[in-house]
Amino acid sequence: MSFRSAPNRFPSGFASAASVAFGLASTPLFAQTGDPCGSWATTLVPGQPGSLLSDAAVVSPNLAFAVGNGFEGSPFFLPLFRRFDGATWSTLAGPPIPGPFGSQAPLFGVEALSSTDVWIVGSQGFSSFNPQCNTNKARIARWNGAFWSDMPAYQLIGDQPCDFSELNAVEAVGSQLWFVGRRTPIAGCGGGLTLRWNGAGMEFFPSPCGALPPGSLGYGLNAVAGVAQNDVWAVGGGSVPTSPMLGMIPNPGYIIHWDGLAWSQVLHQAPGQFHRLTAVDAYASNDVWALGQYLENGVLGSFATHWDGSAWTPMIIPGGTRGLVVQNPQSIHAVGNGVYYFDGQTWTQVETFPGSVPQNQVLTIEDIEPLGLCDFLVVGRTSTAAGSSPLLFAARLSPKPDGVQALNGCAGGVLSGSLQAIQPPQLGNTLVLGMDDTSALGGLVSGVSQPFVFVSTAGSSACGTPLPGFGPGGQTGELLIDLGQLALTAPLGVGPWTGPGTPSTISLPLADKPAFAGLSFFAQGLWVTPNPVLNLLLSNGLQLTLGY
């Protein structure tokens, strides 16, 4: 499932002042340890040793599904189907599709449109389909909340008895679903496999014929993402036979684009002699990211590549090639042997889950899915360095919370309750401050009194700085912010205050920048009543903590 945030929207004056005040003007946005979004915590997934989770799909912050494979106490390899309620995982029965040697079809991908419409993809063992063949066939299953229905995708693409096919990923793009995988090459063409569910039926579209290097097993597609129904990307790579030097390192990478009518191959540069692409996410038509691995001089590395609307530009990254989420161009998460973060300038590993991975085990995170802004779910496995004895693994990132605290001074020198946060200081949304005098204790005049707000990156002392004549009834007021660190001064509303119960407001769009999460600033209002007698009255203050 895709989650998109609003664009960065700090008012220009406030943005520049805030960036200087926060110390971010000349340093990368990611200038703190750990994940700038918040804190990761593992969640226990029920399952037996010898199991793994390969993909997840999100319906809402309190509903997600994950699929994988494992023995579950059986001598046979079984599909796993799990449900997440936002805090705990439960086990659901997977699709009853017979597989080779008594096992069931492995599950590779999942997409959830609702609590009663879940799609999964994988492959089906068909050793009994033809005694001369021990091959797999692509399969799709759909869950309605109670029962499974099976779609033998291999029949749609005209597989012959000994042909190979499998589906690796499924993704919703608008009202459509795209399925991608690989199949036996036909007439020398690469074996990328693409299917589309149009809401009424399944359609098969041939992928472009890419040239195959000597000994290649054909192209396969590993991931798909789209901005619109006529703007879809799929990525993968070719495979070479197993060898002591190469193992199953693909050769070369493969990127295709759907324009609403047909797929076309888009050439790209990548590091190393061999490479493949394993994940893709599309933020905009000119902002698409893909991840992959490359081989150079016998050493594996990780890379990312970015589409700017005209070309792909690669960059080497420290890791994280299994899955990614682009929250915005300056906030990207990727996963693999931990969690990695890109702040628009630099890739950094931000989480390895120390203490949550058993001793002598290594972590492999297969997928990351957004539950909200800076709220993510990851699934995968832990296993020995050789990949044996896997255990189910899942974790959730809890974003740094926003907060509002009223500041009323010590000596009654402010009009308490007159300044409020009508909408909280949530990054990626709009902070709305309002001023009103429902108590009628401030001597304010409807249609005459004008409220102003002052925003500073620092507060004053606990009891404020005394200001004679700025308190209720002409008493001494208390200045609760540091005027030397002002970031914004502005009137509220489009004219004078109109009376009790109708607050004057100002809206401050807040950028979706996780580097700002956890930072606080301070606000205080000033009521100005110019006539019949000039009256200046300070409101209470607010300490506003940015978060999600």
Side-chain angles (χ1 to χ4, degrees), residues 119-328:
W119 297 71
I120 62 171
V121 298
S123 65
Q124 165 68 58
F126 263 74
S127 58
S128 60
F129 194 81
N130 187 314
Q132 304 302 316
C133 307
N134 185 11
T135 188
N136 285 5
K137 301 291 187 182
R139 284 281 178 163
I140 300 171
R142 186 180 188 183
W143 188 62
N144 66 3
F147 303 102
W148 289 96
S149 57
D150 178 34
M151 296 183 182
Y154 69 93
Q155 295 178 356
L156 295 172
I157 62 177
D159 266 4
Q160 298 301 307
C162 288
D163 286 344
F164 170 90
S165 62
E166 71 179 13
L167 289 169
N168 297 321
V170 52
E171 181 77 12
V173 181
S175 61
Q176 301 175 347
L177 286 168
W178 278 101
F179 306 79
V180 300
R182 62 190 180 111
R183 63 180 303 195
T184 301
I186 298 175
C189 290
L193 173 58
T194 65
L195 296 167
R196 182 179 68 178
W197 174 259
N198 60 22
M202 197 70 68
E203 301 172 290
F204 166 56
F205 295 95
S207 59
C209 180
L212 297 177
S216 174
L217 301 179
Y219 289 109
L221 293 168
N222 298 316
V224 60
V227 177
Q229 292 180 177
N230 64 348
D231 191 2
V232 182
W233 293 88
V235 302
S239 295
V240 297
T242 301
S243 72
M245 182 183 73
L246 296 180
M248 285 299 293
I249 301 304
N251 169 25
Y254 185 55
I255 299 179
I256 60 176
H257 179 257
W258 174 262
D259 63 4
L261 298 175
W263 290 100
S264 59
Q265 185 174 5
V266 181
L267 300 180
H268 65 286
Q269 299 292 321
Q273 297 101 342
F274 308 104
H275 71 280
R276 71 170 173 182
L277 295 157
T278 51
V280 63
D281 195 21
Y283 181 77
S285 59
N286 62 349
D287 196 353
V288 183
W289 285 86
L291 302 176
Q293 292 179 304
Y294 69 92
L295 182 73
E296 187 167 21
N297 299 323
V299 178
L300 268 177
S302 303
F303 77 101
T305 185
H306 177 250
W307 173 259
D308 63 5
S310 59
W312 288 94
T313 302
M315 65 180 72
I316 294 175
I317 62 176
T321 60
R322 301 283 183 163
L324 82 158
V325 171
V326 182
Q327 179 165 307
N328 65 57

Side-chain angles (χ1 to χ4, degrees), residues 441-468:
L441 296 178
L444 305 177
V445 181
S446 300
V448 176
S449 298
Q450 173 67 58
F452 293 81
V453 69
F454 298 83
V455 180
S456 174
T457 57
S460 184
S461 61
C463 292
T465 302
L467 285 181

